[in-house]
Amino acid sequence: MTTTDRRVLVLIGAGSAVFTRGLLADLISAEDLGAWEIRLVDVDSTALDVAADLAEAMVAARGVGDSIRVVRSTDRRAVLPGADFIVTCVGVGGRPAWQLDHEIVQKHGVYQPVGDSIMPGGISRLLRTTPVLVEIAHDIADLAPDAFFFNYSNPMTANVQAIHQQTGLDVVGLCHGMHHIQRELAQLIDAPFDETSTLYAGINHLTFIYDFRWKGQDAWPLIRERVHRELAEAPDPADIGNIFYEKPTAWHNPFAWELFDRYGAFAAAGDRHVVEFFPERFQSGDYYGKKLGIDAFSLPEILEWGENRYQGMKRQALGEEPLDQSIFERSGGEQEQLIAIIRSITFDSREMFSCNVVNNGAVPGLPDWSAVEIPGVATARGIRPIAVPDLGKPLTAILARRLTSVDLAVEAALTGNRDLVVEAMIADGAIFDADRAAALTDDLIAAQAQHLPRFA
């Protein structure tokens, strides 16, 4: 079988082995999609080899070497030509840089449970990640402009906006947060997920589900009954700020349910992310008796979990442990929508997915150039966003306010302008004092200097 008989998927940032493993597992099971050449790219050759060795072991274990070929490269320009699909999941600095952001912002009295999208930690990630993604996008525009381009890298809103502004490419941002919350809402009313539907609009990690139905009927009354009943009872402390749970309860997202009572919409992707968009409410980090990022949605806990998963995959890639056969079951990870989207594009089945795309009027009241998270239909000609004209002014105003710092931070990242970073920090709302914002900015830039060549 020649390469021309295969479709080509280029995965940039393949050293993120968890994503690579999930993608390969899903592709191996997607026999209807035919033969593939998967080109794995990472600037870290060691991490690349772990991911590629694991991928090859998976292909061998399932005996699908005739239909799936794995290629590895540290040079993306060498493997971009001929790509049908391109996926970016780049995390500049990886877990160590993420941990460093977390420690520095906490020293400055800022508590955040994630730090990948907004607030000072999210801005720091933006400074080191967005310029790299723009450089990658320029290469895609040069070498594979007709490929379908999907991005998983955070901060999603800034990255999609910047890529489109700088290259004109119709990049689509994908995140499993919305999908996860849609399933949780169905679980809360004991409804089969496939019988429920939602309408929503927002920005990544702050997307408002304002319509929720079961078999076509308004399901919010059922949600309200359960949520109000559960919140009227004292919580199990283990439910507060818990990242890992099997069955949802109202106390897993008390702040999002508070917003629901006020605005009639549930904020995805739940409290762990949503609290960061309302820093004025949690300035001391206090969250229902716990501290954000410490014992409520502990960031060190999620980093340790990720590292343990990676080390386990590394041992399997090196042959030190047998391959975990459970990985071939539906993984439900970050990549879970991707295969379904590729299938919908391939067969033009026009299924709907949550997508991060440039607004262009889809959500009235938000800037045309900003990236919004809205429904999109996957067609043979790519993702077609669905306009959401009825979100309403209060929720639109919340989103518009959160987007102001994104514009400043993107400009700062691409120009290396330290003063604009300070302004972005202030506009973000976690810090109001200019001197505090400047001190935090300087500490973050100094600590992450190796990833910030524009600020040298």
Side-chain angles (χ1 to χ4, degrees), residues 112 210 293 349 389 446:
Q112 42 186 144
Y210 62 93
S349 49

Side-chain angles (χ1 to χ4, degrees), residues 64-248:
V64 292
D66 288 341
S67 59
I68 296 181
R69 176 191 298 155
V70 177
V71 174
R72 68 187 80 187
S73 177
T74 56
D75 179 7
R76 63 177 179 263
R77 289 187 63 87
V79 296
L80 280 172
D84 297 295
F85 298 90
I86 298 169
V87 180
T88 46
C89 55
V90 173
V92 178
R95 282 184 289 274
W98 193 1
Q99 174 73 30
L100 195 54
D101 284 341
H102 175 70
E103 293 171 355
I104 291 171
V105 300
Q106 232 173 62
K107 287 178 183 175
H108 284 259
V110 177
Y111 296 86
Q112 42 186 144
V114 191
D116 67 356
S117 297
I118 206 157
M119 292 181 66
I123 292 173
S124 181
R125 178 180 290 227
L126 186 161
L127 297 180
R128 63 181 180 270
T129 305
T130 300
V132 172
L133 280 168
V134 168
E135 290 171 3
I136 292 169
H138 278 301
D139 286 344
I140 293 170
D142 182 29
L143 299 169
D146 297 326
F148 296 105
F149 180 12
F150 299 100
N151 172 64
Y152 279 88
S153 298
N154 285 317
M156 181 69 73
T157 303
N159 290 336
V160 170
Q161 173 180 322
I163 287 169
H164 185 77
Q165 280 181 344
Q166 297 296 312
T167 69
L169 290 174
D170 289 325
V171 61
V172 175
L174 298 178
C175 172
H176 75 156
M178 262 297 302
H179 194 62
H180 177 71
I181 291 298
Q182 287 167 320
R183 288 188 176 279
E184 284 204 357
L185 290 177
Q187 284 181 280
L188 283 172
I189 59 170
D190 296 318
F193 172 67
D194 291 342
E195 295 179 1
T196 64
S197 59
T198 55
L199 290 173
Y200 52 88
I203 57 180
N204 186 231
H205 294 151
L206 182 66
T207 295
F208 292 104
I209 300 173
Y210 62 93
D211 188 275
F212 175 53
R213 295 177 184 271
W214 182 11
K215 294 182 177 179
Q217 300 299 309
D218 182 8
W220 284 138
L222 297 173
I223 288 284
R224 284 191 180 91
E225 190 279 326
R226 173 166 177 174
V227 167
H228 288 162
R229 172 167 41 85
E230 289 188 357
L231 292 180
E233 301 172 357
D236 179 346
D239 282 346
I240 303 295
N242 184 3
I243 301 171
F244 305 104
Y245 55 85
E246 293 184 6
K247 292 185 178 181

Side-chain angles (χ1 to χ4, degrees), residues 421-423 425-426 431-442:
V421 180
V422 177
E423 292 303 316
M425 292 281 184
I426 296 169
I431 296 178
F432 297 104
D433 180 78
D435 290 337
R436 278 188 67 206
L440 176 51
T441 295
D442 290 340

Side-chain angles (χ1 to χ4, degrees), residues 2 18 20 23 49 61-62 66 75 96-97 119 122 131 149 156 162 184 209 228 248 256 281 284 343 442-443:
T2 65
V18 176
T20 302
L23 175 63
D49 284 342
R62 277 299 193 259
D66 288 341
D75 179 7
M119 292 181 66
F149 180 12
M156 181 69 73
E184 284 204 357
I209 300 173
H228 288 162
R281 289 289 306 271
S284 61
R343 182 176 286 114
D442 290 340
D443 280 0

Side-chain angles (χ1 to χ4, degrees), residues 6 24 31 48 52 62 65-66 101 192 207 224 234 263 278 290 301 343 348 352 367 371 385 387 391 396 411 433:
R6 303 171 181 269
L24 260 293
E31 296 178 3
L48 174 64
R62 277 299 193 259
D66 288 341
D101 284 341
T207 295
R224 284 191 180 91
Y263 300 110
F278 297 84
K290 294 188 178 182
E301 181 183 356
R343 182 176 286 114
D348 200 30
M352 193 174 297
L391 182 62
T396 303
E411 183 74 12
D433 180 78

